[in-house]
Coordinates of all heavy atoms in Angstrom, one line a residue:
V144 N 141.9 42.5 133.2 CA 142.4 43.6 132.4 C 143.9 43.7 132.4 O 144.5 44.0 131.4 CB 141.7 44.9 132.9 CG1 142.3 46.1 132.2 CG2 140.2 44.9 132.6
G145 N 144.5 43.5 133.6 CA 145.9 43.6 133.7 C 146.7 42.6 132.8 O 147.8 43.0 132.3
K146 N 146.1 41.5 132.5 CA 146.7 40.5 131.6 C 146.9 41.0 130.2 O 147.8 40.5 129.5 CB 146.0 39.2 131.7 CG 146.0 38.4 133.0 CD 145.1 37.2 133.0 CE 145.2 36.5 134.4 NZ 144.2 35.4 134.5
I147 N 146.0 41.9 129.8 CA 146.0 42.3 128.4 C 146.4 43.8 128.3 O 146.3 44.4 127.2 CB 144.7 42.0 127.7 CG1 143.5 42.7 128.5 CG2 144.5 40.5 127.6 CD1 142.2 42.5 127.7
L148 N 146.7 44.4 129.4 CA 147.0 45.9 129.4 C 148.3 46.2 128.6 O 149.3 45.5 128.7 CB 147.1 46.3 130.9 CG 146.9 47.8 131.2 CD1 145.5 48.3 130.8 CD2 147.2 48.1 132.6
K149 N 148.2 47.3 127.9 CA 149.3 47.7 127.0 C 149.7 49.2 127.4 O 149.0 49.8 128.1 CB 148.9 47.7 125.6 CG 148.3 46.3 125.1 CD 147.8 46.3 123.7 CE 146.7 47.3 123.5 NZ 145.5 47.1 124.4
K150 N 150.8 49.6 126.9 CA 151.3 50.9 127.1 C 150.3 51.9 126.6 O 149.8 51.8 125.5 CB 152.7 51.1 126.4 CG 153.4 52.4 126.8 CD 154.8 52.5 126.2 CE 155.4 53.9 126.5 NZ 155.4 54.2 127.9
D151 N 150.1 53.0 127.4 CA 149.2 54.1 127.1 C 147.7 53.7 127.2 O 146.8 54.6 126.9 CB 149.5 54.7 125.7 CG 150.9 55.3 125.7 OD1 151.3 55.8 126.7 OD2 151.4 55.3 124.6
D152 N 147.4 52.5 127.6 CA 146.0 52.2 127.9 C 145.4 52.9 129.1 O 146.1 53.3 130.0 CB 145.8 50.7 128.1 CG 145.9 49.9 126.8 OD1 146.1 50.5 125.7 OD2 145.9 48.6 126.9
I153 N 144.1 53.1 129.1 CA 143.4 53.7 130.2 C 142.3 52.8 130.7 O 141.5 52.2 130.0 CB 142.7 55.0 129.7 CG1 143.7 56.0 129.1 CG2 141.9 55.7 130.9 CD1 143.0 57.2 128.5
V154 N 142.3 52.6 132.1 CA 141.3 51.8 132.7 C 140.4 52.7 133.6 O 140.9 53.4 134.5 CB 142.0 50.7 133.6 CG1 140.9 49.8 134.2 CG2 143.0 49.9 132.9
I155 N 139.2 52.7 133.3 CA 138.2 53.6 134.0 C 137.3 52.7 134.8 O 136.7 51.7 134.3 CB 137.4 54.4 133.0 CG1 138.3 55.2 132.1 CG2 136.4 55.3 133.7 CD1 137.5 55.9 130.9
Y156 N 137.2 53.0 136.1 CA 136.3 52.2 137.0 C 135.0 53.0 137.2 O 135.0 54.2 137.4 CB 137.0 51.9 138.3 CG 138.1 50.9 138.1 CD1 139.4 51.4 137.9 CD2 137.9 49.6 138.2 CE1 140.5 50.5 137.8 CE2 139.0 48.7 138.0 CZ 140.2 49.1 137.8 OH 141.3 48.2 137.7
E157 N 133.9 52.3 137.2 CA 132.6 52.9 137.5 C 132.0 52.3 138.8 O 131.0 52.8 139.3 CB 131.6 52.7 136.4 CG 132.0 53.5 135.1 CD 130.7 54.0 134.4 OE1 129.6 53.7 134.8 OE2 130.8 54.8 133.5
S158 N 132.5 51.2 139.3 CA 132.0 50.5 140.5 C 132.1 51.4 141.7 O 133.1 52.1 141.9 CB 132.7 49.2 140.7 OG 132.7 48.4 139.5
T159 N 131.0 51.3 142.6 CA 131.1 52.1 143.8 C 132.1 51.5 144.8 O 132.0 50.3 145.1 CB 129.7 52.1 144.5 OG1 128.7 52.6 143.6 CG2 129.7 52.9 145.8
V160 N 133.0 52.3 145.3 CA 134.0 51.9 146.2 C 134.2 52.9 147.3 O 133.7 54.0 147.2 CB 135.4 51.6 145.5 CG1 135.2 50.4 144.5 CG2 135.8 52.9 144.7
Y161 N 135.0 52.6 148.3 CA 135.4 53.6 149.3 C 136.5 54.5 148.7 O 137.2 54.1 147.8 CB 135.9 52.9 150.6 CG 137.0 51.9 150.5 CD1 138.3 52.3 150.3 CD2 136.7 50.6 150.6 CE1 139.3 51.3 150.1 CE2 137.7 49.6 150.4 CZ 139.0 50.0 150.2 OH 140.0 49.1 150.1
P162 N 136.7 55.7 149.2 CA 137.7 56.6 148.7 C 139.1 56.0 148.8 O 139.5 55.5 149.9 CB 137.5 57.8 149.6 CG 136.1 57.8 150.1 CD 135.8 56.3 150.2
G163 N 139.8 55.9 147.7 CA 141.1 55.4 147.7 C 141.2 54.0 147.1 O 142.3 53.5 146.8
A164 N 140.1 53.3 146.9 CA 140.1 51.9 146.5 C 140.7 51.7 145.1 O 141.5 50.8 144.9 CB 138.7 51.3 146.5
T165 N 140.4 52.6 144.1 CA 141.0 52.5 142.8 C 142.5 52.4 142.8 O 143.1 51.5 142.2 CB 140.5 53.6 141.9 OG1 139.1 53.6 141.8 CG2 141.1 53.5 140.5
E166 N 143.1 53.4 143.5 CA 144.6 53.5 143.5 C 145.2 52.5 144.5 O 146.4 52.1 144.3 CB 145.0 54.9 143.8 CG 144.7 55.9 142.6 CD 144.5 57.3 143.0 OE1 143.6 57.6 143.8 OE2 145.2 58.2 142.5
E167 N 144.5 52.2 145.6 CA 145.1 51.3 146.6 C 144.9 49.8 146.3 O 145.7 49.0 146.7 CB 144.5 51.6 148.0 CG 144.8 53.0 148.5 CD 143.9 53.4 149.7 OE1 143.2 52.6 150.2 OE2 143.9 54.6 150.0

């Protein structure tokens, strides 16, 4: 996703992770 990410795009994660994983 990062390779094709553009300004103002939104990436939404649904996968189960530990608290903080998305941002860390």
Side-chain angles (χ1 to χ4, degrees):
V144 172
K146 291 174 182 176
I147 56 174
L148 201 62
K149 307 174 300 299
K150 189 171 174 57
D151 297 327
D152 285 356
I153 302 173
V154 185
I155 303 170
Y156 291 93
E157 289 217 356
S158 307
T159 302
V160 291
Y161 53 77
T165 298
E166 290 156 301
E167 294 168 12

